[in-house]
Amino acid sequence: MPIDGEGRFEDYDLYFEPAGLDLKQFEIVMAPHPYRDGKVIQLTNSNGSHIDLNHDMFKNRLIIIENDGVKGVVLSSPKSKHSVHLNLHDFRYFCTWTKEDSDQPFLCLEPFAGLPDIAGRK
């Protein structure tokens, strides 16, 4: 990202399918390793099923989205003729991250079948 060198990181958005979902994310504790703290909160920086991407939203954390109704996700920009579409039918969770405290031009999109442990639990 940017796809084929078109636009900047901040020009891209994630669109979850179907539209109109109430997306939730797991709170993440990053040190010493990424763990969940057990809380599920409203997805930050979202507008329904749409996320405006920027580096600040990833400061010190990855984003793991929990929603039974998510069927797919599209990464796209109005400044690019290209996009990436992931089918999430077989995955209940979706993770996205970029290098913490950095403005690197990449974004990882990961369908998840499981979750990180909750901090302090065995």
Side-chain angles (χ1 to χ4, degrees):
M1 199 173 107
I3 302 171
D4 202 27
E6 298 171 330
R8 301 172 314 142
F9 186 95
E10 293 79 11
D11 295 328
Y12 284 79
D13 302 307
L14 289 175
Y15 295 91
F16 291 86
E17 301 168 336
L21 295 170
D22 183 27
L23 299 172
K24 305 270 191 241
Q25 73 181 51
F26 293 95
E27 275 194 342
I28 302 296
V29 177
M30 290 302 290
H33 306 286
Y35 290 98
R36 292 179 295 135
D37 70 1
K39 296 177 188 168
V40 178
I41 59 172
Q42 198 66 31
L43 180 65
T44 57
N45 212 47
S46 71
N47 180 7
S49 295
H50 168 236
I51 300 174
D52 297 317
L53 293 173
N54 65 66
H55 281 86
D56 288 340
M57 68 187 289
F58 296 99
K59 189 175 182 111
N60 295 323
R61 65 189 171 102
L62 48 87
I63 296 171
I64 302 174
I65 296 169
E66 190 273 339
N67 193 309
D68 292 333
V70 175
K71 303 298 181 202
V73 63
V74 177
L75 172 70
S76 66
S77 168
K79 296 186 177 186
S80 175
K81 60 186 174 200
H82 303 285
S83 63
V84 174
H85 182 267
L86 293 176
N87 178 325
L88 301 176
H89 282 95
D90 294 330
F91 298 92
R92 181 169 178 183
Y93 310 105
F94 173 76
C95 178
T96 185
W97 60 273
T98 189
K99 183 159 174 39
E100 298 141 13
D101 295 324
S102 172
D103 61 354
Q104 295 295 313
F106 78 88
L107 181 70
C108 184
L109 306 173
E110 293 184 63
F112 270 20
L115 294 170
D117 292 332
I118 295 176
R121 291 195 188 165
K122 294 185 180 200

